[in-house]
Amino acid sequence: MSSSAPGATNPMLYDPIPEGQGSTTKRNQFVAALGICMAAVSGGTALAWTSPVLAQLVPANQSDTSGLEHESFLLTTDEGRRIDAGVALKWFWGPNADTQSALQTIQSDLDAASGEAKVSDLFTNPTNRAALFISLLLMFFQQFSGINAVIFYTAPIFQSAGSTMDPAVCSIVVGVVQVVMTLASSVLIDKAGRRILLLQSSFIMGACLIVLGVYFKMQNDKVDVSNIGWLPLASVVLFIISFSLGFGPIPWMMMGELCAPDIKGLASALAVMFNWTLVFLVTKSFGTMQELLGSDWTFWFFGAWMMVCTVYVFIKVPETKGKTNAQIQAILGGKK
């Protein structure tokens, strides 16, 4: 699985935005990366094939538990459990969060919701349609960065590249880097805007994929690449770093931030199904693409999508950091 966190939602959709925004998404991102790293470590040793699988069970289980009910659910119960909702926000955001202002904003958004949404509302309402379209395209670009293919085929990539390092060691290095950078992203996502992190992520990942393609092209042309045997590892490590800081967690966070409360559940379900369908397609086709196109054109294919992604994010994706749901809906509706 990728380091993305399918199904995670961002509980911090409202001003004031305190430190620790999107703690659920970031925790899921971290435990997913930890599971991948544990699998790489156990898979790179002389252990049975079951060890890498078993190594991921604990972090995978932890990623699906939050321990507290969602604050918006607590506000919509018959008793209106405002105190419990405040406790939940304190747990998510930290003891210094201004939960009273946040709860008031959440309540206002819930009151403004038009009730239970229908599937048709996702497409007939221009604002909902824009939110869904952006969410789906971010999921598309996340998977067409080739992240799952790179993770699943890390050892074969290094092996075919003729790297001077042991492919199993390279896989472990990549897994450790992913864990470390996922932790770092927890800080940067709160400090930086969504757009800038997405832009750096798509641009750098695209550049790394193009460099990998050039390396394999040189290798195919019988050019001596022994003096740059470190290049595949450096490119993959930088690729993972950029993914962990941008297109790993942010599409899942923005999915919750872009959608209005009444259509959030339906839009999220469609986006999750779309994402995992792409996971299957990209992972299944990667090996075939390498056989038919060669490693150079395969990496250039995904790199080209990242360049397209950079342009799309720059032109179309709005900044959601520090904005209320009402402000975000106004932006999507074409209002300043």
Side-chain angles (χ1 to χ4, degrees):
M1 61 184 293
S2 77
S3 63
S4 58
T9 56
N10 176 18
M12 316 310 240
L13 309 179
Y14 313 94
D15 275 332
I17 307 294
E19 191 76 18
Q21 177 169 352
S23 57
T24 302
T25 297
K26 289 180 288 187
R27 184 185 68 245
N28 290 356
Q29 174 85 355
F30 171 72
V31 295
L34 181 61
I36 292 169
C37 181
M38 293 171 67
V41 171
S42 57
T45 60
L47 298 177
W49 69 268
T50 54
S51 299
V53 177
L54 294 174
Q56 299 178 77
L57 292 181
V58 172
N61 179 65
Q62 291 298 315
S63 69
D64 291 330
T65 58
S66 63
L68 282 179
E69 297 169 279
H70 196 280
E71 63 278 3
S72 62
F73 168 76
L74 294 171
L75 290 176
T76 56
T77 57
D78 293 338
E79 299 82 3
R81 294 160 58 187
R82 191 180 184 89
I83 294 178
D84 292 336
V87 171
L89 287 176
K90 288 284 187 182
W91 185 84
F92 275 123
W93 292 1
N96 298 322
D98 184 1
T99 56
Q100 292 304 313
S101 298
L103 286 172
Q104 184 58 49
T105 306
I106 295 172
Q107 187 66 65
S108 298
D109 284 339
L110 290 173
D111 293 341
S114 58
E116 186 175 352
K118 299 175 293 185
V119 175
S120 59
D121 294 335
L122 293 173
F123 305 99
T124 56
N125 183 297
T127 302
N128 292 344
R129 188 167 60 242
L132 176 64
F133 189 68
I134 293 173
S135 297
L136 292 178
L137 271 181
L138 289 179
M139 295 301 178
F140 175 87
F141 288 127
Q142 182 193 71
Q143 293 308 319
F144 270 73
S145 69
I147 179 61
N148 281 292
V150 169
I151 287 177
F152 290 153
Y153 292 91
T154 297
I157 287 172
F158 289 125
Q159 190 171 16
S160 61
S163 174
T164 55
M165 295 182 63
D166 185 342
V169 174
C170 292
S171 298
I172 294 172
V173 170
V174 169
V176 171
V177 168
Q178 189 173 11
V179 171
V180 172
M181 295 313 301
T182 300
L183 287 173
S185 72
S186 300
V187 177
L188 285 176
I189 288 174
D190 287 332
K191 301 298 183 182
R194 312 291 191 251
R195 289 181 79 251
I196 189 64
L197 290 177
L198 288 175
L199 286 170
Q200 69 79 25
S201 184
S202 60
F203 181 80
I204 294 177
M205 284 193 298
C208 290
L209 291 167
I210 291 172
V211 169
L212 277 172
V214 170
Y215 179 90
F216 280 103
K217 175 64 173 175
M218 293 171 62
Q219 189 184 59
N220 293 338
D221 291 342
K222 308 303 181 183
V223 176
D224 183 13
V225 293
S226 59
N227 60 333
I228 54 172
W230 50 268
L231 189 59
L233 177 60
S235 297
V236 172
V237 166
L238 185 56
F239 177 92
I240 293 295
I241 289 173
S242 297
F243 178 84
S244 299
L245 294 178
F247 263 91
I250 291 178
W252 300 104
M253 296 178 67
M254 291 195 71
M255 177 178 64
E257 293 174 334
L258 290 168
C259 298
D262 55 340
I263 60 103
K264 197 186 303 291
L266 287 173
S268 297
L270 286 176
V272 170
M273 288 189 294
F274 183 64
N275 184 280
W276 281 103
T277 300
L278 294 177
V279 170
F280 172 79
L281 292 176
V282 171
T283 306
K284 183 69 174 176
S285 62
F286 182 76
T288 304
M289 290 177 64
Q290 284 189 307
E291 292 177 4
L292 297 178
L293 303 177
S295 294
D296 48 358
W297 282 102
T298 298
F299 286 115
W300 287 338
F301 172 80
F302 290 115
W305 277 115
M306 287 297 92
M307 294 300 121
V308 172
C309 172
T310 302
V311 175
Y312 175 77
V313 171
F314 183 79
I315 296 175
K316 289 293 186 179
V317 176
E319 180 58 71
T320 58
K321 179 181 181 292
K323 292 182 173 62
T324 65
N325 188 266
Q327 291 172 328
I328 294 171
Q329 297 308 301
I331 293 172
L332 292 174
K335 302 175 184 177
K336 299 297 183 182

